[in-house]
Amino acid sequence: MELRQLQYFVKVARKQHVTQAAEELHVAQSAVSRQIHQLEEELGVQLFVQKGRNLQLTSVGKLFLGRVEGILTDLERAVNEIHEYLDPECGEIRIGFPHSLGIYLLPTVVAHFRKNYPNVKFRLRQGTFNSLIRDVYKGEIDLAFISPFPDKHEHVTGELLLNEELYAIVPQGHVLAEYQTIRLEQLKDDSFVMFSEEYSLRTIVLDACQQAGFSPQIGFEGEETDTIRGLVAAGMGVSLLPEMALMEISELQPVKVRVTEPQVTRSIGLVHRKGEKLPLVAEVFRQFLLDFFGH
C-alpha cells in the first residue's frame, strides 16, 4: 500500500468524481482510477460504488476514509514539526475561527504577529462552534478561536481571552435610534433578524431576551454578521451583534445602541486539543495571543 494510493483515495472520496479528483491532483484520470483499483484489490474490498456520474463510498469505504484521513493528518503534522524544529519561525499555523471574529479580531492579531514572525504561514478555517471543536479534536486544526468559551470540555482545553459586549442594532429612523442606551425589553414588539440555529450567537440573543422577559419574534434568519447587519439596516427588523462585527462601515449601516438591562456579552477563548502538545510555531502563536490580550 502506497502513500499516493491513500492520497488519491481521499481526494476521490471528497470529490465523489474521478475526473474532478484527477484535475485537482494534476494527474491523468487513468492514473487515479488505476491507483484506486489497486488499492481495492490489495484490501480485498470495494471502496466505491457508481451512482449516476458520481462515486459514492461503500460502508467499508466510509470506515476506511476516517482512518486514512487521520493517518494523513498525523503524517502532515509530523512533516510540519520537522520543518518547525529546523526553523520554528517558518512553520505553518492551522487555526479556526467563527465568521464574526474574521472581520476584525483575526486580521488584527495575525498582522501584529507577522511583524515579528513574517515567514510564518497561516492556514485558516471558518466554522461554527461545533465544527471548530470537532476540527480541533480531529487534529485538522491546531488552534481555534471559539465563542462562547467552554469552561470544561471532554476533548479541548484553552484560555479565555476576553468578554465582548453585544449591542442592539436598529434601522435608521427607528423610534429607539436616537437613544444612547436602552433596556432590551424595549425591543419586545419588534421583529428580530436572528442567526441560524447552529450559531452560538443565536443562543446568546435568545437567552438575553428570555432574561428580559420575552421571546423574540423572529422575522428573518442569516448565517453571517454582514447579512444580519444589512437586513437590519434595510428595515427588516432589529438584532443584537458583537461590537467587533459593527466596526466595518458600509453603505447600508444600522444604528447601534448600548443595552444596559440586561448587559449582553459573549466570551471569546482559544482552544486546542486536550492532552496533546502543540506544534512549536502554534505554541509561539498561543503565547503571543495570551500576551496580546493581557494574560
Side-chain angles (χ1 to χ4, degrees), residues 154-219:
E154 181 182 0
H155 301 304
V156 302
T157 186
E159 297 83 19
L160 174 67
L161 298 178
L162 73 154
N163 286 295
E164 182 186 20
E165 186 174 358
L166 271 68
Y167 284 78
I169 56 171
V170 300
Q172 300 280 349
H174 189 277
V175 65
L176 300 176
E178 301 298 325
Y179 283 55
Q180 295 297 314
T181 63
I182 63 169
R183 302 183 314 277
L184 188 55
E185 67 174 352
Q186 290 176 264
L187 297 175
K188 65 181 180 180
D189 295 327
D190 285 273
S191 176
F192 272 69
V193 182
M194 195 73 72
F195 282 92
S196 301
E197 291 186 357
E198 64 267 29
Y199 290 85
S200 58
L201 278 170
R202 179 188 179 100
T203 302
I204 292 173
V205 174
L206 288 175
D207 289 347
C209 291
Q210 287 187 343
Q211 189 177 345
F214 71 97
S215 295
Q217 307 170 34
I218 302 175

Side-chain angles (χ1 to χ4, degrees), residues 10 14 64-74 138 140:
V10 170
R14 289 174 177 171
F64 189 59
L65 176 64
R67 295 294 189 183
V68 171
E69 286 182 324
I71 292 170
L72 294 180
T73 296
D74 287 343
K138 291 176 65 178
E140 295 182 4

Side-chain angles (χ1 to χ4, degrees), residues 107-120:
T108 299
V109 295
V110 168
H112 279 79
F113 181 77
R114 285 177 61 84
K115 289 178 182 178
N116 294 325
Y117 302 94
N119 296 321
V120 170

Side-chain angles (χ1 to χ4, degrees), residues 68-271:
V68 171
E69 286 182 324
I71 292 170
L72 294 180
T73 296
D74 287 343
L75 177 60
E76 182 180 15
R77 294 190 70 178
V79 172
N80 287 338
E81 286 174 2
I82 291 173
H83 291 162
E84 290 163 10
Y85 179 80
L86 297 174
D87 187 355
E89 295 187 9
C90 293
E92 180 182 72
I93 299 169
R94 304 175 304 163
I95 188 163
F97 63 98
H99 173 266
S100 60
L101 298 184
I103 300 169
Y104 176 79
L105 185 143
L106 182 67
T108 299
V109 295
V110 168
H112 279 79
F113 181 77
R114 285 177 61 84
K115 289 178 182 178
N116 294 325
Y117 302 94
N119 296 321
V120 170
K121 297 178 181 178
F122 284 85
R123 186 185 301 184
L124 307 176
R125 177 175 295 190
Q126 183 176 309
T128 62
F129 178 91
N130 289 329
S131 69
L132 292 172
I133 293 289
R134 183 188 66 238
D135 291 344
V136 169
Y137 172 62
K138 291 176 65 178
E140 295 182 4
I141 54 179
D142 305 309
L143 297 163
F145 288 109
I146 206 82
S147 180
F149 175 69
D151 293 324
K152 293 182 179 180
H153 195 279
E154 181 182 0
H155 301 304
V156 302
T157 186
E159 297 83 19
L160 174 67
L161 298 178
L162 73 154
N163 286 295
E164 182 186 20
E165 186 174 358
L166 271 68
Y167 284 78
I169 56 171
V170 300
Q172 300 280 349
H174 189 277
V175 65
L176 300 176
E178 301 298 325
Y179 283 55
Q180 295 297 314
T181 63
I182 63 169
R183 302 183 314 277
L184 188 55
E185 67 174 352
Q186 290 176 264
L187 297 175
K188 65 181 180 180
D189 295 327
D190 285 273
S191 176
F192 272 69
V193 182
M194 195 73 72
F195 282 92
S196 301
E197 291 186 357
E198 64 267 29
Y199 290 85
S200 58
L201 278 170
R202 179 188 179 100
T203 302
I204 292 173
V205 174
L206 288 175
D207 289 347
C209 291
Q210 287 187 343
Q211 189 177 345
F214 71 97
S215 295
Q217 307 170 34
I218 302 175
F220 298 91
E221 293 185 352
E223 296 186 352
E224 295 187 345
T225 54
D226 293 344
T227 303
I228 303 292
R229 188 178 60 187
L231 288 172
V232 171
M236 308 301 285
V238 301
S239 192
L240 272 69
L241 282 182
E243 185 175 12
M244 279 186 282
L246 299 170
M247 289 183 173
E248 186 181 20
I249 303 300
S250 60
E251 187 175 343
L252 267 179
Q253 192 74 12
V255 177
K256 75 172 187 178
V257 184
R258 175 168 271 118
V259 179
T260 58
E261 295 181 26
Q263 186 179 43
V264 189
T265 62
R266 67 166 175 172
S267 58
I268 299 172
L270 184 73
V271 297

